[in-house]
């Protein structure tokens, strides 16, 4: 089972039997069908004995080994706001070689390699990105929201080329997005 999951130990009930369940030599339940959620691989031992005085007077002993698998670890970045065209890595965890990964988004924009688990992304629009990781018995998922601020510049007048006389004054304005963007000018010849 995957660590954190519950498991029923028994699916058979006989009202003529007393059930004693042991974990690591200690009695932990007298229920017929106890639920367990071990954090590591554990052997559970069942001792049954007739309580009606009929049949075999000796206890019956059986055991079951419950193998526990650690789930793949996902450690996505916190929700973030970025500029259009920035490259970001969404998963900050070492990739588990025994797991398979799959990225998806709610906006149709894919990560660079959807099966690598790392999640390199060059976002062009905002969205929620989901990483699913599967191992033999485990499935985990997490999401991160990316808000993309479009990069743009608008210059007035909008013509690429303007002709003015040498002594004329020329005035233009510009707007950058995002507002925190820095601008610099290169004089052309």
């Amino acid at each position: 089972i995957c660590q954190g999951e519950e498991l029923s130990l028994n699916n058979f009930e006989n009202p003529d039997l007393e059930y004693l369940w042991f974990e690591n030599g200690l009695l932990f339940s007298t229920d017929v069908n106890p639920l367990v959620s071990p954090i590591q691989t554990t052997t559970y031992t069942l001792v049954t004995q007739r309580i009606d005085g009929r049949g075999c007077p000796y206890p019956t002993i059986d055991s079951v080994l419950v193998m526990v698998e650690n789930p793949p670890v996902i450690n996505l970045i916190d929700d973030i706001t970025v500029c259009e065209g920035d490259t970001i890595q969404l998963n900050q965890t070492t990739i588990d070689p025994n797991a398979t990964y799959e990225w998806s988004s709610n906006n149709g924009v894919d990560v660079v390699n959807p099966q690598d688990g790392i999640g390199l992304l060059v976002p062009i629009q905002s969205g929620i990105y989901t990483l699913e990781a599967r191992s033999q018995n485990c499935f985990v998922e997490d999401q991160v929201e990316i808000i993309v601020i479009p990069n743009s510049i608008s210059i007035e007048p909008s013509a690429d080329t303007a002709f003015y006389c040498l002594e004329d004054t020329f005035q233009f304005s510009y707007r950058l997005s995002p507002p925190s963007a820095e601008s610099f000018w290169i004089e052309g010849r």
Side-chain angles (χ1 to χ4, degrees):
I1 65 172
C2 187
Q3 187 180 56
E5 291 180 343
E6 286 187 330
L7 176 70
S8 297
L9 289 179
N10 186 19
N11 62 1
F12 173 78
E13 180 177 356
N14 181 340
D16 296 330
L17 295 178
E18 173 185 41
Y19 291 82
L20 304 171
W21 286 96
F22 294 85
E23 177 182 353
N24 298 324
L26 300 174
L27 178 68
F28 80 92
S29 178
T30 57
D31 292 340
V32 172
N33 186 16
L35 289 176
V36 295
S37 183
I39 59 172
Q40 62 188 12
T41 297
T42 303
T43 299
Y44 295 95
T45 303
L46 171 63
V47 177
T48 60
Q49 188 164 350
R50 296 194 66 88
I51 55 176
D52 62 2
R54 297 182 313 192
C56 181
Y58 302 106
T60 302
I61 300 172
D62 198 2
S63 63
V64 61
L65 176 66
V66 177
M67 297 178 64
V68 178
E69 179 182 339
N70 292 327
V73 176
I74 295 177
N75 183 21
L76 299 186
I77 62 172
D78 292 333
D79 294 349
I80 190 172
T81 300
V82 298
C83 292
E84 179 182 356
D86 286 352
T87 300
I88 53 176
Q89 181 176 328
L90 302 177
N91 189 6
Q92 305 298 307
T93 304
T94 302
I95 302 305
D96 182 344
N98 298 317
T100 59
Y101 296 87
E102 185 70 34
W103 284 97
S104 61
S105 69
N106 69 342
N107 63 8
V109 176
D110 290 330
V111 298
V112 174
N113 183 352
Q115 283 82 34
D116 72 0
I118 295 170
L120 286 181
L121 177 69
V122 182
I124 56 173
Q125 63 185 14
S126 298
I128 296 174
Y129 295 83
T130 303
L131 176 59
E132 297 177 350
R134 296 178 190 275
S135 58
Q136 185 175 355
N137 294 301
C138 300
F139 170 82
V140 292
E141 74 175 6
D142 199 2
Q143 295 181 329
V144 59
E145 182 175 13
I146 308 296
I147 298 172
V148 177
I149 299 173
N151 291 326
S152 66
I153 184 170
S154 62
I155 299 176
E156 298 295 333
S158 61
D160 289 343
T161 305
F163 296 98
Y164 292 91
C165 292
L166 202 48
E167 299 297 322
D168 286 349
T169 301
F170 176 73
Q171 183 174 356
F172 62 93
S173 62
Y174 66 94
R175 283 190 310 266
L176 295 176
S177 175
S180 61
E182 295 182 27
S183 63
F184 62 94
W185 294 97
I186 299 174
E187 185 177 331
R189 298 200 169 138

